[in-house]
Amino acid sequence: MECLDCKNIIEINAIRQILKIKPQLLKVFDDIIKVANIRLNDERQCVSMPIEVNTEPELSDHSSDEGDP
Protein backbone atom coordinates (compact mmCIF):
# COMPACT_ATOMS: atom_id res chain seq x y z
CA MET A 1 0.00 0.00 0.00
CA GLU A 2 1.28 3.43 -0.84
CA CYS A 3 1.94 6.18 1.68
CA LEU A 4 -0.82 8.77 1.99
CA ASP A 5 0.16 12.27 0.91
CA CYS A 6 -2.01 15.09 2.32
CA LYS A 7 -1.18 17.32 -0.65
CA ASN A 8 -3.04 14.88 -2.90
CA ILE A 9 -6.14 15.08 -0.71
CA ILE A 10 -6.09 18.88 -0.79
CA GLU A 11 -5.65 18.88 -4.59
CA ILE A 12 -8.51 16.41 -5.09
CA ASN A 13 -10.79 18.50 -2.89
CA ALA A 14 -9.85 21.64 -4.82
CA ILE A 15 -10.64 19.93 -8.12
CA ARG A 16 -13.99 18.75 -6.73
CA GLN A 17 -14.85 22.33 -5.75
CA ILE A 18 -14.08 23.51 -9.28
CA LEU A 19 -16.14 20.69 -10.84
CA LYS A 20 -19.23 21.32 -8.67
CA ILE A 21 -20.63 23.56 -11.39
CA LYS A 22 -20.39 20.61 -13.84
CA PRO A 23 -22.04 17.63 -12.09
CA GLN A 24 -21.34 15.25 -14.98
CA LEU A 25 -17.62 16.03 -14.93
CA LEU A 26 -17.60 15.71 -11.15
CA LYS A 27 -19.15 12.25 -11.47
CA VAL A 28 -16.50 11.19 -14.01
CA PHE A 29 -13.73 12.56 -11.78
CA ASP A 30 -15.09 10.71 -8.74
CA ASP A 31 -15.30 7.48 -10.75
CA ILE A 32 -11.67 7.88 -11.85
CA ILE A 33 -10.59 8.46 -8.24
CA LYS A 34 -12.47 5.32 -7.12
CA VAL A 35 -10.81 3.17 -9.79
CA ALA A 36 -7.38 4.62 -8.97
CA ASN A 37 -7.88 3.90 -5.26
CA ILE A 38 -8.88 0.31 -5.97
CA ARG A 39 -5.81 -0.24 -8.14
CA LEU A 40 -3.45 1.40 -5.65
CA ASN A 41 -4.79 -0.58 -2.74
CA ASP A 42 -5.08 -3.89 -4.57
CA GLU A 43 -2.32 -6.00 -3.07
CA ARG A 44 -1.19 -8.65 -5.51
CA GLN A 45 0.70 -11.70 -4.42
CA CYS A 46 4.22 -11.89 -5.75
CA VAL A 47 4.55 -15.37 -7.23
CA SER A 48 8.29 -15.26 -7.81
CA MET A 49 11.15 -12.84 -7.75
CA PRO A 50 13.54 -12.73 -10.69
CA ILE A 51 16.82 -14.42 -9.88
CA GLU A 52 19.83 -12.25 -10.54
CA VAL A 53 23.06 -13.80 -11.70
CA ASN A 54 25.85 -13.23 -9.20
CA THR A 55 28.99 -12.37 -11.13
CA GLU A 56 32.22 -11.68 -9.32
CA PRO A 57 34.23 -8.69 -10.60
CA GLU A 58 37.68 -9.36 -11.98
CA LEU A 59 40.16 -8.08 -9.42
CA SER A 60 43.74 -7.15 -10.17
CA ASP A 61 46.45 -9.32 -8.59
CA HIS A 62 48.82 -6.34 -8.81
CA SER A 63 51.54 -8.46 -10.44
CA SER A 64 50.37 -7.26 -13.85
CA ASP A 65 50.44 -3.65 -12.61
CA GLU A 66 54.17 -3.72 -11.80
CA GLY A 67 55.39 -3.39 -15.38
CA ASP A 68 53.38 -0.24 -16.20
CA PRO A 69 55.17 3.08 -15.55
Side-chain angles (χ1 to χ4, degrees):
M1 185 185 287
E2 297 209 3
C3 184
L4 183 62
D5 187 358
C6 292
K7 291 179 186 175
N8 292 340
I9 296 170
I10 294 169
E11 289 173 356
I12 288 172
N13 286 336
I15 292 170
R16 281 191 174 125
Q17 290 297 320
I18 293 168
L19 293 178
K20 275 187 176 180
I21 59 173
K22 298 283 188 174
Q24 291 176 330
L25 289 177
L26 180 59
K27 170 87 171 94
V28 171
F29 181 73
D30 284 336
D31 290 344
I32 291 171
I33 295 298
K34 287 176 187 175
V35 170
N37 281 333
I38 290 170
R39 289 192 180 177
L40 284 173
N41 294 323
D42 185 23
E43 294 185 23
R44 295 187 181 106
Q45 181 181 7
C46 182
V47 177
S48 67
M49 295 290 291
I51 298 174
E52 297 180 11
V53 178
N54 185 15
T55 56
E56 295 290 330
E58 290 186 30
L59 301 175
S60 173
D61 61 359
H62 297 288
S63 63
S64 60
D65 295 340
E66 293 174 0
D68 295 332

